[in-house]
């Protein structure tokens, strides 16, 4: 995983790559003028990277399509603009009309949310919370899950940059793998 993350960084069209814990091993933000260019980056660069076995692409939809304008009051940027600790919450919205726009606006009003993107695919939105898992879990469970229109979430937790030593005095934490 470390080799894949490092190989992807700095490649043309790739804004950021990070190792994550969750259903995937690596999350990559690709940036281009149009979807064809994004697909080309996925096919030529990401899928061609040694160690990549499978990719899943979730194109970002402009918030303007929902009548929500990025950069306005309370509207966070698109996720993955900077490296560092973060939790990426993939959100499935309810089927009711307007629920995605309502969830975007609610997320935009939350101080703990640094970025929001509406995406096509299995989930409807991705929200970036620039906190450790331990700090982000209450935000996800107590605040995001209670937003009207949120029907389910899946969270990917960024792994600290490779080469950094863990804090040996940190309180123990367990997980299942």
């Amino acid at each position: 995983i470390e080799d894949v993350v490092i190989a992807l960084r700095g490649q043309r069209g790739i804004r950021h790559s990070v190792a994550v814990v969750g259903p995937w091993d690596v999350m990559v933000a690709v940036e281009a003028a149009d979807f064809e260019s994004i697909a080309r980056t996925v096919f030529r660069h990401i899928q061609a990277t040694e160690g990549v076995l499978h990719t899943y692409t979730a194109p970002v939809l402009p918030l303007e399509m929902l009548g929500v304008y990025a950069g306005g009051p309370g509207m966070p940027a698109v996720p993955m603009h900077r490296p560092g600790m973060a939790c990426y919450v993939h959100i499935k919205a309810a089927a009711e009309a307007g629920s995605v726009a309502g969830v975007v606006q609610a997320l935009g009003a939350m101080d703990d949310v640094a970025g929001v993107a509406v995406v096509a695919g299995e989930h409807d939105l991705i929200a970036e919370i620039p906190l450790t898992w331990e700090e982000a879990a209450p935000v996800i469970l107590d605040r995001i899950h209670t937003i009207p229109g949120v029907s389910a979430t899946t969270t990917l937790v960024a792994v600290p940059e490779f080469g950094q030593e863990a804090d040996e005095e940190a309180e123990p934490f367990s997980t299942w793998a």
Side-chain angles (χ1 to χ4, degrees), residues 3 6 12 20-21 34-35 42 44 47 54 68 81 99 102-103 113 115 120 125 131 139 141 152-153 155 160 174 176:
D3 293 341
I6 292 168
R12 184 175 171 204
V20 292
V21 174
D34 54 39
F35 185 73
V42 171
R44 291 183 182 167
Q47 291 180 353
H54 176 76
V68 177
H81 271 285
S99 65
V103 173
V113 175
L125 301 109
L131 302 170
V139 174
L141 296 173
T153 67
T155 302
S174 63
W176 292 268

Side-chain angles (χ1 to χ4, degrees), residues 13 28 49 56 65 81 87 106 111 118 126 138 152:
V28 179
T49 300
Y56 173 82
M65 291 178 71
H81 271 285
C87 291
D111 291 337
V118 176
I126 298 174

Side-chain angles (χ1 to χ4, degrees), residues 56-119:
Y56 173 82
T57 303
V60 174
L61 304 172
L63 293 176
E64 294 82 16
M65 291 178 71
L66 300 172
V68 177
Y69 296 92
M75 283 298 106
V78 174
M80 296 187 73
H81 271 285
R82 66 199 174 309
M85 185 53 67
C87 291
Y88 300 100
V89 184
H90 294 69
I91 301 167
K92 184 75 178 153
E96 293 88 37
S99 65
V100 172
V103 173
V104 167
Q105 290 173 330
L107 291 168
M110 294 175 63
D111 291 337
D112 294 319
V113 175
V116 175
V118 176
V119 295

Side-chain angles (χ1 to χ4, degrees), residues 100-173:
V100 172
V103 173
V104 167
Q105 290 173 330
L107 291 168
M110 294 175 63
D111 291 337
D112 294 319
V113 175
V116 175
V118 176
V119 295
E122 184 179 341
H123 295 91
D124 300 308
L125 301 109
I126 298 174
E128 177 182 3
I129 302 173
L131 302 170
T132 66
W133 167 247
E134 294 82 1
E135 296 166 324
V139 174
I140 297 164
L141 296 173
D142 298 336
R143 297 187 62 212
I144 292 178
H145 276 251
T146 62
I147 295 172
V150 170
S151 64
T153 67
T154 302
T155 302
L156 302 176
V157 181
V159 175
E161 295 297 316
F162 292 110
Q164 293 181 353
E165 297 302 319
D167 182 359
E168 294 180 17
E169 295 183 26
E171 190 168 315
F173 188 74

